[in-house]
């Protein structure tokens, strides 16, 4: 491309001015402020856009109201000519491109026209100024490559742009560490879905667990249901027990009654008994009839009730009175016995009073009598001796004490002699009275006589004894004086005598005790033994008589007793047997008399009598049978029998009821045995009901649990969530796959472009380096012969010493020269693709003269293919250019 | 003479719990259909078995995916098997690489009419309704992979009228990625003298040998775009001369299909829509369809049109159309087919080709994808040749855009 003309409407200091660039290399000379930089800026501004308001000093807005902008006429490599017009406007100004035919294009066309040169690339490669040359210090291989890529092939800039676009678009789909980009988001969603899937996957083990649980619960349910059925049956039974409890009680009572059942009368028995009764009734009726007949027969005779009674008991009377003589004899005998008894009693009384004893004692036996008599004799003798001796001693004592004068006839024991005549009188009276007494009682007089004789005899004995004591006292008195000394002897003898007397007395007392004779006098004992014997005999006789009397009396009374049946008609006093007997006999005789009077009066009557007797017998027979029957059945009376029958009937009914209940209760009976009270059964029922209720509750809970389990299982089975989730995952994966595909496509497109461009530009870099080395050598007059480009470092080799220098080590000028070398080389290298004019705005001020000349020389070479527009204020440069190559700018004002 | 008419169903690869892959969006109605589809397909099979009163059913593996452990699937199978049990139709089941019999497998108990082949192999015998003696031999996977040739487990045909082998695996001659699935050779199978080989594992229906038949029944419901075409089971019956006749019965609910619509010389979007609708209308009305539409000659479309299509405008429009009745026709993707390498102007084509080799290499793809490869489905995707060529197509379409833009500018 060649810039042929620039027409400025208004730009900085310039306005309405046209510059023609006829040659390929043009030197534009001017002093400072001549407008060199303004023109340079105008050219680049028209081509690539004016500066914006952000860079106001680069804008070069015209001061004097001229319109902003201008045109540049260019010629392309294929010899087409375009006029580029740029005027003021937004974003770099409004640009139009007009071709030779007058056809106008827009900015885009301009870009294509300039492609692949971009403003940046233009600045980097084709524009030189003092400032930009400093960039060498920042140049890297990547920059070079980038620049090369950008211009490496025709249209590569566009490709690069596109690659960049794809890269950006790809970045908007997915970034490795991004979060908000669609693919990143989709991946995150996938992870969340997967998490849900994993959760949902738990359904299977859960189902199996539930299935297990369900099985267990079902077993439990079956068991509980069985229990419930059993319990319900049990409850039913207990309910029946409760309901039947009264029945059971009745049952028990009846059972008890049944056990006590004793009398058993069969129907036959009862029939028989009833027959007896019937017969008896018949007989009684007959008897009544007959009795009536008899009564009719005897009506005329006006029979007394007593006689009627007699007639009825005729036989009994006959039988009893057959013993009449016997009884009369007994009565007579009794009279005798009573007399006898009286006589005996009298004798006994007499004797007892004679002997003066109240109770009858036994007489002594013969040996004992002998002992008694001997004892008595000896005692008598001893007593005599004692008395004598005592008297003697008394005498002696008196004699001794009262000087023997007082002698008197000591007390003479006189018996009560005056009693004797009275006693004798009494006994005599008794004798006389006894003679007056009848029969056996005349014995009394005998006793009286005997007693009288005894009294007389006793009086005689007494008189003899008194005489004898007087004599002895007189003898003793005479002897008193003399036998004073003998007193002692006498006393001793007296003591001996007394001892012996005591011994005898002892024997005597013993004997008396043995025979209970304590109350009897010695005399009586010794002399009246015969009487004692008689008394005993009398007593015996009395006993016999009394016994006989009693016996007979009993016989009589027994006989009388037998008449008690006739008490009404024959009232007798058994206490007076004789009178009673007489009464009976009299009654019987009277009745017999009456009967005989009546008797045989009528044949008919006799017949009836017989009939009556017969019927009476019959009646008695039936009565007997009846009573036998009752006895046989342990019954006392007909009433009792009726009671028993009734009872039996009741029992039968009860038995029936019992059987009915037993049947009704059935096997409940055994169950009732477990309970003693109704309350217990009711308690049991409550307990069972409670159990059942609890069980039902359990069952219900279990069933509910089962239903729930089943529902849960069904839910698990029918729950499509898992499937849905899997499908969602698949969907998400599809989405991700799609996004990945899109992303990969963009990335690959981008990469492919870059790779292709790289491939296309790989040959350019060595070429570039070669050219740059050559140019650098030219510019430095062969001081440096090699350039090495490492990724981060560019080095040069000093040719003589082969010293390597980094860019930073070079002088400012040399570094700038290196950069210029690169730029020129680059432009040269891409000249097949794009040939842009170099715009050099006073770029070489740091160059020394030789190098300055070298660069100008080089530029002249370059200008053969690339237009060079060189702005300078260095007057010396003018020498290097032909006049037609020079445009001189004059400073205005 | 006995009239032999043994009748049985051969099916495999039910994959009841595998989701549909490659769908980004769909209507709720379609999702429901998709969700139900494998179940409905199998239910149809069972319905047919009952209606036809078959003697037995062979299920040759991959009924479900062991890894997903879906109780719904297990419960569903039990229910369907019980229906068959009621009809006294036995099921012979060999587990495959997806539903392998792991030691720790948790499975619901199947009813007694289901005979599962053990890992070490077994032969079950039965007598058909017509009185034929049938022996069924097979084995189940106890692991995800079986690299061993399992044909030795199958005994030589015994004293039976028919012997059938159930084998879930791949023929050893096919691509290496399948040689971990009980590889076998046809000659080995033929040497067993069986009357029928019921194969499973390969989802594409194919008959490896005509007589005796060695058959892949394919799966019963396609689950992604590669499993396109009709899916179902084989009804195998005996003809009078004891020959087996095979009859394919489709049961699938949704079919995946691809149709190509040329957009040559089309300048308006409406025209494209009409062209597509016309083609779709011509499709058979047998079941729901998931359609992938490829617009051929798309490089002839104007850049503006192309951009609208690429932005998804057309697909969105098509997807938003009211659902067709009674069968849904859902366009799940719209592809621009562009195989014309764009004009790269001055850039030497050799640079492009050279760069393409490196850029589209699997290695570069993997490097580029980087952490994305931790997602196994992406890893798998990127490794697929189909995907790679598709990707290249996409890139070319993108680059073509630049070209087109360039041209367009000139035309403006």
């Amino acid at each position: 491309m060649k810039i042929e003309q620039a027409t400025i409407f208004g730009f900085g200091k310039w306005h309405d001015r046209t510059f023609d660039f006829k040659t390929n290399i043009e030197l534009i000379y001017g002093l400072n402020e001549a407008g060199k930089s303004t023109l340079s800026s105008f050219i680049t501004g028209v081509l690539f856009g004016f500066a914006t308001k952000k860079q106001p000093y680069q804008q070069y807005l015209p001061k004097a109201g001229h319109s902003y902008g201008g045109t540049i006429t260019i010629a392309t490599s294929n010899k087409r000519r375009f006029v580029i017009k740029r005027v003021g406007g937004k974003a770099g100004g409004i640009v139009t491109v007009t071709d030779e035919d007058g056809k106008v294009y827009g900015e885009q066309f301009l870009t294509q026209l300039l492609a692949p040169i971009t403003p940046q690339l233009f600045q980097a490669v084709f524009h030189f100024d003092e400032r930009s040359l400093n960039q060498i210090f920042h140049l890297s291989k990547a920059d070079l490559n980038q620049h090369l890529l950008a211009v490496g092939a025709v249209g590569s800039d566009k490709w690069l742009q596109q690659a960049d676009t794809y890269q950006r678009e790809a970045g908007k789909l997915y970034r490795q560490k991004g979060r908000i980009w669609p693919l990143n988001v989709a991946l995150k969603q996938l992870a969340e879905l997967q998490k849900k899937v994993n959760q949902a996957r738990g359904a299977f083990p859960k189902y199996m667990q539930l299935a297990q649980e369900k099985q267990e619960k079902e077993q439990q349910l079956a068991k509980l249901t069985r229990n419930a059925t059993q319990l319900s049956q049990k409850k039913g039974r207990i309910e029946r027990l409760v309901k039947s409890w009264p029945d059971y009680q009745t049952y028990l009572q009846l059972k008890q009654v049944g056990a006590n059942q004793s009398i058993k009368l069969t129907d036959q028995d009862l029939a028989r008994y009833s027959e007896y009764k019937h017969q008896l009734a018949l007989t009684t009726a007959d008897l009544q009839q007959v009795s009536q007949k008899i009564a009719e027969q005897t009506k005329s005779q006006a029979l007394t009730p007593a006689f009627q009674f007699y007639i009825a008991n005729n036989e009994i009377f006959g039988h009893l009175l057959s013993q009449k003589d016997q009884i009369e004899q007994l009565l007579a005998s009794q009279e005798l016995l009573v007399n006898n008894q009286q006589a005996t009693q009298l004798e006994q009384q007499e004797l007892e009073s004679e002997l003066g004893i109240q109770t009858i004692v036994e007489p002594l036996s013969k040996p004992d009598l002998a002992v008694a008599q001997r004892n008595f004799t000896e005692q008598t003798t001893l007593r005599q001796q004692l008395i004598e001796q005592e008297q003697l001693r008394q005498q002696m004592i008196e004699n001794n004490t009262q000087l023997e004068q007082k002698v008197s006839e000591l007390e003479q024991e006189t018996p009560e002699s005056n009693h004797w005549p009275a006693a004798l009188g009494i006994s005599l009276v008794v004798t006389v009275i006894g003679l007056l007494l009848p029969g056996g009682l005349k014995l009394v007089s005998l006793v009286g006589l005997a007693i009288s004789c005894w009294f007389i005899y006793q009086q005689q004995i007494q008189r003899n004894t008194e005489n004898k004591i007087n004599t002895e006292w007189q003898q003793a008195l005479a002897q008193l004086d003399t036998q004073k000394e003998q007193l002692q002897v006498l006393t001793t003898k007296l003591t001996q005598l007394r001892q012996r007397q005591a011994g005898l007395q002892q024997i005597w007392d013993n004997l008396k005790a043995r025979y209970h004779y304590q109350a009897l006098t010695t005399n009586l004992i010794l002399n009246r033994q015969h009487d004692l014997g008689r008394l005993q005999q009398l007593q015996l006789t009395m006993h016999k008589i009394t016994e006989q009397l009693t016996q007979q009396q009993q016989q009589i009374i027994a006989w009388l007793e037998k008449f008690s049946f006739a008490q009404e008609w024959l009232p007798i006093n058994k206490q007076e047997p004789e009178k009673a007997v007489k009464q009976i006999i009299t009654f019987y005789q009277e009745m017999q008399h009456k009967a005989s009077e009546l008797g045989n009066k009528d044949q008919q009557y006799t017949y009836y009598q017989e009939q009556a007797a017969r019927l009476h017998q019959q009646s008695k027979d039936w009565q007997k049978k009846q009573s036998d029957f009752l006895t046989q059945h342990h019954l006392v009376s007909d009433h009792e029998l009726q009671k028993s029958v009734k009872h039996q009937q009741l029992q039968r009914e009860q038995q029936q009821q019992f059987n009915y209940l037993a049947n009704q209760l059935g096997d409940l009976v055994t169950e009732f045995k477990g309970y003693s009270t109704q309350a217990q059964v009711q308690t049991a029922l409550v307990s069972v009901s409670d159990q059942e209720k609890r069980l039902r509750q359990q069952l219900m809970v279990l069933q509910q649990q089962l239903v729930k389990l089943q529902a849960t299982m069904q839910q698990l089975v029918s729950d499509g969530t898992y499937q849905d989730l899997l499908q969602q995952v698949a969907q998400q994966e599809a989405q991700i796959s799609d996004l990945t595909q899109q992303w990969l496509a963009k990335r690959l497109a981008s990469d492919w472009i870059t790779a292709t461009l790289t491939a296309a530009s790989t040959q350019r870099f060595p070429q570039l380096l070669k050219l740059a080395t050559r140019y650098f050598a030219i510019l430095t007059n062969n001081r440096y012969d090699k350039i090495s480009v490492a990724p981060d470092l560019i080095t040069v080799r000093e040719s003589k010493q082969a010293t390597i220098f980094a860019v930073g080590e070079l002088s400012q000028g040399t570094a700038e020269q290196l950069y210029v070398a690169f730029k020129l080389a680059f432009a040269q290298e891409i000249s097949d693709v794009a040939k842009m004019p170099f715009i050099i705005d006073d770029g070489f001020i740091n160059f020394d003269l030789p190098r300055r000349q070298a660069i100008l020389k080089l530029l002249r070479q370059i200008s053969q293919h690339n237009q060079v527009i060189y702005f300078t204020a260095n007057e010396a440069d003018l020498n290097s250019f032909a006049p037609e190559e020079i445009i001189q700018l004059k400073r205005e004002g | 003479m006995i009239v032999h008419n043994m009748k049985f169903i051969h099916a495999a690869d039910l994959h009841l719990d595998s989701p549909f892959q490659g769908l980004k969006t769909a209507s709720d109605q379609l999702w429901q259909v998709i969700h139900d589809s494998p179940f409905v397909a199998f239910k149809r099979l069972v319905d047919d078995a009952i209606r036809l009163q078959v003697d037995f059913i062979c299920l040759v593996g991959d009924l479900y995916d062991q890894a997903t452990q879906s109780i719904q699937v297990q419960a569903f199978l039990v229910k369907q098997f019980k229906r068959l049990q009621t009809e006294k139709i036995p099921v012979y089941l060999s587990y495959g690489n997806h539903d392998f019999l792991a030691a720790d497998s948790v499975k619901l108990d199947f009813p007694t009419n289901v005979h599962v082949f053990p890992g070490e192999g077994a032969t079950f015998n039965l007598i058909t309704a017509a009185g034929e003696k049938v022996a069924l031999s097979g084995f189940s996977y106890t692991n995800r992979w079986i690299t061993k040739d399992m044909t030795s487990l199958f005994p030589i045909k015994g004293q039976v009228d028919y012997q059938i082998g159930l084998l879930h695996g791949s023929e050893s001659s096919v691509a290496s990625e399948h040689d971990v699935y009980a590889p076998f050779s046809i000659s080995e199978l033929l040497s067993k003298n069986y009357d029928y080989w019921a194969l499973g594992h390969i989802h594409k229906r194919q008959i490896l040998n005509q007589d005796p038949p060695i058959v892949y029944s394919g799966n019963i419901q396609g689950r992604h775009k590669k499993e396109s075409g009709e899916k179902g089971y084989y009804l195998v019956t005996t003809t009078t001369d004891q020959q087996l006749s095979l009859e394919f019965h489709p049961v699938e609910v949704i079919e995946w299909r691809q149709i190509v619509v040329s957009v040559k010389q089309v300048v308006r979007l409406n025209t494209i829509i009409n062209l597509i609708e016309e083609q779709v209308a011509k499709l058979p009305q047998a079941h729901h369809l998931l359609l992938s539409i490829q617009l051929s000659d798309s490089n002839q479309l104007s850049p503006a049109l192309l951009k609208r299509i690429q932005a998804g405008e057309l697909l969105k429009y098509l997807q938003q159309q009211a659902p067709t009745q009674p069968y849904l026709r859902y366009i799940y993707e719209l592809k621009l087919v562009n195989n014309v390498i764009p004009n790269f102007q001055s850039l030497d084509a050799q640079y492009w080709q050279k760069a393409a080799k490196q850029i589209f290499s699997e290695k570069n793809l993997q490097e580029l994808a980087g952490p994305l490869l931790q997602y196994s489905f992406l890893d798998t995707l990127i490794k697929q040749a189909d995907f790679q060529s598709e990707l290249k197509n996409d890139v070319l379409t993108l680059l073509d855009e630049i070209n087109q833009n360039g041209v367009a500018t000139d035309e403006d």
Side-chain angles (χ1 to χ4, degrees), chain B residues 10-22:
Chain B
H10 164 206
D13 302 285
L14 311 183
H15 286 282
L16 289 169
D17 47 4
S18 301
F20 277 39
Q21 285 165 357

Side-chain angles (χ1 to χ4, degrees), chain B residues 337-351:
Chain B
V337 183
N338 190 346
N339 289 318
V340 182
I341 291 188
N343 177 15
F344 290 122
Q345 293 187 352
S346 55
L347 265 181
D348 202 334
Q350 65 160 358
Y351 293 138

Side-chain angles (χ1 to χ4, degrees), chain A residues 178-190:
Chain A
R179 288 169 64 183
I180 56 165
W181 313 108
L183 183 51
N184 294 94
V185 170
L187 286 170
K188 200 181 163 202
Q189 284 171 347
L190 179 66

Side-chain angles (χ1 to χ4, degrees), chain B residues 11-16 18-20 33-42 44-45 203 217-224 227-233 248-256 287-290:
Chain B
D13 302 285
L14 311 183
H15 286 282
L16 289 169
S18 301
F20 277 39
V33 172
I34 286 169
H35 175 268
D36 295 343
S37 61
F39 298 101
V40 172
F42 186 65
R44 284 178 182 170
L45 183 150
H203 292 185
S217 61
N219 54 353
I220 61 168
Q221 171 61 58
R223 296 163 307 130
H224 50 81
E227 295 178 354
S228 55
E230 284 190 316
K231 298 284 178 182
Y233 65 87
F248 175 73
H249 287 239
V251 289
E252 69 184 342
V253 177
I254 309 174
E255 186 188 333
W256 296 74
H287 36 240
H288 305 298
L289 289 172
L290 287 173

Side-chain angles (χ1 to χ4, degrees), chain A residues 243-474:
Chain A
K243 216 194 268 175
S244 310
W245 185 262
D247 283 352
Y248 177 63
Q249 291 308 311
T250 314
Y251 167 87
L252 284 181
Q253 281 166 7
L254 291 175
K255 197 178 176 191
Q256 196 68 30
V257 169
N260 290 345
Q261 219 161 23
S262 53
I263 301 154
K264 193 82 187 167
L265 287 168
T266 63
D267 287 347
Q268 278 177 318
D269 289 339
L270 289 174
R272 210 167 70 211
Y273 179 74
S274 145
E275 174 65 15
Y276 296 158
K277 267 182 89 173
H278 178 64
Q279 289 298 338
L280 183 60
L282 284 180
T283 312
T284 310
D286 285 351
L287 189 59
Q288 268 175 358
Q289 231 170 356
V290 172
S291 296
Q292 207 172 342
K293 296 273 186 199
I294 293 173
E296 276 168 20
Q297 290 292 322
T298 54
K299 212 191 286 176
S300 54
Q301 291 182 314
L303 291 176
T304 61
F307 181 65
Q308 280 174 350
F309 178 78
Y310 169 76
I311 295 295
N313 297 289
N314 185 19
E315 260 181 88
I316 301 169
F317 278 109
H319 172 71
L320 288 176
L321 281 159
S322 63
Q323 295 163 14
K324 184 191 78 176
D325 295 345
Q326 230 176 310
I327 297 301
E328 278 176 336
Q329 270 176 0
L330 275 174
L331 281 174
S333 155
Q334 215 165 16
E335 206 178 332
L336 277 175
L337 277 172
V338 168
N339 289 341
N340 213 346
Q341 190 184 32
Q342 282 172 345
T344 311
Q345 201 170 9
L346 192 61
E347 188 185 348
Q348 193 181 346
Q349 281 168 351
E350 281 171 359
L351 207 52
E352 276 175 356
S353 65
E354 188 185 329
L355 292 176
I357 56 171
Q358 274 83 41
T359 50
I360 294 157
V361 291
E362 207 184 330
L364 288 170
S365 61
K366 271 183 185 152
D368 284 338
L369 185 60
V371 169
Q373 281 171 343
R374 230 178 10 256
N375 186 289
F376 182 74
T377 316
E378 266 185 68
Q379 269 207 58
T380 310
T381 317
L382 259 176
R383 197 156 47 238
Q384 200 60 48
Q385 281 176 347
L386 266 173
I387 293 166
E388 282 169 10
Q389 290 298 319
E390 192 58 46
Q391 280 174 348
L392 197 57
R393 191 178 153 252
Q394 211 64 43
Q395 224 164 11
M396 278 179 192
I397 291 166
E398 276 177 32
N399 289 346
N400 283 346
T401 321
Q402 297 178 2
L403 305 167
E404 63 270 309
Q405 80 262 46
K406 202 179 176 183
V407 179
S408 68
E409 279 184 11
L410 207 69
E411 59 191 63
Q412 202 162 355
E413 274 191 14
T414 45
E416 293 138 322
S417 49
N418 39 342
H419 288 174
W420 289 105
L424 188 62
I426 291 161
S427 54
L428 285 173
V429 170
V430 168
T431 310
V432 173
I433 292 166
L435 289 173
L436 294 172
L437 281 168
L441 295 175
K442 286 194 176 46
L443 284 169
V444 175
S445 57
L446 280 175
V447 173
L449 196 63
I451 294 167
S452 303
C453 291
W454 188 73
F455 277 127
I456 297 163
Y457 167 71
Q458 283 290 314
Q459 223 160 10
Q460 262 344 111
I461 291 170
Q462 212 173 341
R463 266 175 211 154
N464 290 344
T465 310
E466 280 170 15
N467 292 338
K468 199 180 169 186
I469 290 168
N470 278 334
T471 320
E472 277 175 8
W473 180 70
Q474 279 166 355

